[in-house]
């Protein structure tokens, strides 16, 4: 990055068709690369210090005027000051939101260049998946070797946890391959089976020593669900990880209940909770609740759980707990129930109410971003 005229910066070129601009909290340009100058027809020395509305306009697929903002992602039509219209893909990310030094980074790609980020993403994933498979195989192999020599029940549980983690990581890699591999994105593969909810909860808590001492399981009548055991467990781990992170001191309560033809696994904590008006948006990718933005996280965990629950015929609901914390409900059909998740209305009004819809996948640029179905993360 090199110093440009005025108080802004001229970003180095060589982006291969990707145009990058940096904006301050007022929307004025503080960084403008060579590709952006070519795309808009505005050189950096003219762009620095000016509001983007003076340099170009953006409209969505429905013709609605759009402004660059954090979490904006999708396709749009860019119109320059001379009236030239250019179809672009745009992605924005906010930095330091809520502070005086807040900034926005906007990346625009003319449609002919739009495939380049995808190719780079595919290459990055292929390399990552290749390098992960080796260590996972080694870990799994050593766990098998130790199995014959382990007699201590606690050590045996740890080996079970290692094998489960390897299996889950392999599933994550397979899901990513479907999402960003060479072919078109496809829904995650599922293996529907009957799941004893009580057994699932006990087994999950057993491999989480940090949570075991302060987790209370309130068991009612035996509840057998219909779903994918591995994915339901993945969702449960995401929710429990959030509870551990955002409510590190109080008890965590797990309950199992039946509601009509549905089984409900609820996780309740005594943390800061999520305001009612944010309980729907927080299921979108990268959304961070105002109550927890001061803590590390990516805003992906609940979105991932939302997508996975939808993929196995269920859904996730959020509510405020009586303790002031968060109550997360994972809902799946009871074994033998004759209905689909879509027939059950959502009390929270969240996007998860219709599992047939692809959560987090916007129809226009105004959406929150592409769906990210798998990877461990927090809210």
């Amino acid at each position: 990055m090199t110093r440009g005229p005025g108080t802004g910066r001229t970003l180095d070129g060589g982006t291969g068709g990707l145009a990058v601009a940096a904006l301050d909290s007022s929307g004025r340009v503080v960084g403008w690369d060579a590709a952006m100058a070519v795309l808009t027809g505005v050189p950096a020395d003219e762009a620095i210090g000016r509001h983007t509305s003076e340099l170009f306009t953006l409209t969505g697929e429905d013709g609605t005027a759009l402004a660059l903002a954090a979490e904006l992602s999708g396709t749009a039509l860019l119109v320059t000051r001379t009236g030239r219209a250019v179809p672009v893909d745009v992605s924005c990310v906010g930095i330091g939101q809520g502070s005086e030094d807040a900034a926005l980074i906007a990346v625009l790609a003319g449609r002919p260049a739009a495939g380049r980020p995808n190719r780079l993403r595919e290459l990055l994933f292929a390399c990552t998946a290749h390098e992960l498979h080796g260590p996972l195989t080694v870990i799994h192999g050593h766990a098998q070797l130790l199995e014959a020599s382990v007699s201590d029940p606690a050590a045996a549980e740890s080996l079970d946890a290692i094998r489960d983690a390897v299996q889950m990581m392999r599933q994550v890699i397979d899901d990513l391959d479907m999402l960003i591999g060479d072919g078109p994105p496809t829904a995650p593969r599922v293996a529907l089976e009957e799941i004893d909810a009580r057994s699932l909860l006990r087994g999950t808590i057993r491999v989480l020593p940090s949570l075991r001492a302060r987790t209370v399981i309130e068991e009612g009548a035996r509840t057998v669900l219909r779903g994918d055991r591995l994915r339901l467990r993945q969702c449960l781990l995401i929710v429990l990880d959030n509870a551990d992170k955002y409510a590190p001191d109080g008890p965590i309560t797990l309950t199992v209940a039946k509601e009509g033809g549905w089984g409900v696994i609820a996780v309740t904590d005594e943390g800061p909770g999520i305001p009612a008006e944010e309980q729907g948006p927080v299921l979108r990718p990268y959304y961070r609740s105002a109550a927890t933005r001061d803590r590390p996280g990516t805003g992906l965990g609940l979105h991932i759980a939302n997508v996975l629950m939808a993929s196995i015929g269920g859904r996730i609901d959020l509510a405020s707990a009586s303790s002031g914390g968060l109550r997360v409900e994972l809902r799946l059909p009871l074994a033998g129930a004759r209905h689909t998740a879509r027939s059950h209305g959502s009390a929270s009004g969240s996007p998860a109410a219709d599992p047939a819809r692809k959560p987090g996948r916007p129809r226009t640029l105004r959406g929150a971003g592409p769906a990210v179905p798998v990877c461990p993360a927090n809210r």
Side-chain angles (χ1 to χ4, degrees), residues 22-357:
L23 316 178
D24 64 15
S25 58
S26 69
R28 298 189 179 278
V29 176
V30 294
W32 194 261
D33 76 349
M36 186 66 80
V38 172
L39 182 65
T40 62
V42 181
D45 57 353
E46 291 186 25
I48 298 298
R50 303 179 70 174
H51 197 279
T52 54
S53 61
E54 304 175 61
L55 308 174
F56 61 84
T57 60
L58 287 175
T59 56
E61 294 176 348
D62 59 357
T64 304
L66 301 169
L68 296 176
E71 318 303 347
L72 203 62
S73 177
T75 60
L77 188 68
L78 181 148
V79 180
T80 68
R81 293 186 300 184
T82 61
R84 181 170 61 95
V86 184
V88 296
D89 284 349
V90 58
S91 180
C92 299
V93 61
I95 300 175
Q97 297 182 49
S99 68
E100 295 182 357
D101 298 325
L104 181 75
I105 303 297
V107 179
L108 288 78
R111 295 314 298 270
R116 178 178 172 83
N118 292 330
R119 289 194 296 273
L120 292 176
R121 182 178 62 177
E122 291 168 8
L123 177 60
L124 175 62
F125 165 72
C127 294
T128 303
H130 179 271
E131 295 304 312
L132 282 176
H133 274 302
L136 287 174
T137 300
V138 172
I139 293 170
H140 186 261
H142 279 277
Q144 287 182 315
L145 289 174
L146 290 171
E147 184 176 4
S149 60
V150 169
S151 57
D152 179 67
E157 286 185 3
S158 294
L159 283 179
D160 288 339
I162 291 171
R163 284 192 292 265
D164 287 347
V166 169
Q167 183 184 15
M168 189 168 296
M169 282 302 301
R170 285 174 171 167
Q171 185 68 66
V172 166
I173 293 171
D174 288 344
D175 285 344
L176 282 171
D177 188 27
M178 287 187 289
L179 176 68
I180 60 177
D182 294 333
T186 58
R189 290 186 292 265
V190 298
L192 297 181
E193 60 181 308
E194 292 188 355
I195 306 168
D196 185 302
R198 180 167 49 191
S199 175
L200 177 73
L201 292 184
R202 289 177 176 176
T204 301
I205 293 301
R206 191 180 300 121
V207 299
L208 296 173
S210 63
L211 289 178
R212 191 184 307 174
R214 65 189 187 98
T215 299
V216 178
I217 301 179
E218 297 180 355
E219 301 174 351
R222 184 171 183 263
T223 302
V224 181
L225 310 172
R226 177 73 174 171
D228 185 303
R229 180 185 302 273
L230 185 62
R231 297 188 186 284
L232 177 58
R233 191 165 183 269
Q234 185 177 351
C235 294
L236 185 58
L237 285 170
I238 289 172
V239 175
L240 287 170
D241 183 62
N242 276 348
D244 189 31
K245 181 176 182 180
Y246 295 101
D249 299 321
I252 297 171
T253 303
L254 304 182
T255 60
V256 180
K258 296 179 183 179
E259 294 184 7
W262 295 83
V264 182
I265 296 176
V267 180
T268 305
D269 63 47
E270 297 186 359
I274 297 176
E277 64 273 14
E278 292 189 276
Q279 289 171 8
V282 81
L283 296 176
R284 300 200 305 257
Y286 307 113
Y287 187 94
R288 301 293 309 281
S289 170
T292 57
R293 284 176 188 162
D294 59 333
R295 308 190 188 190
T298 61
L300 285 173
L302 289 176
H303 169 66
I304 293 168
N306 182 25
V307 173
L308 289 178
M309 287 301 296
S311 75
I312 61 176
R315 77 163 200 261
I316 182 172
D317 283 341
L318 309 182
S320 297
S322 58
S323 63
L326 182 67
R327 177 181 171 89
V328 181
E329 296 180 349
L330 304 178
R331 295 175 174 267
L332 275 177
L334 293 171
R338 295 182 177 275
H339 58 72
T340 63
R342 187 185 300 186
S343 67
H344 188 82
S346 171
S348 66
S350 75
D354 184 0
R357 188 177 66 82

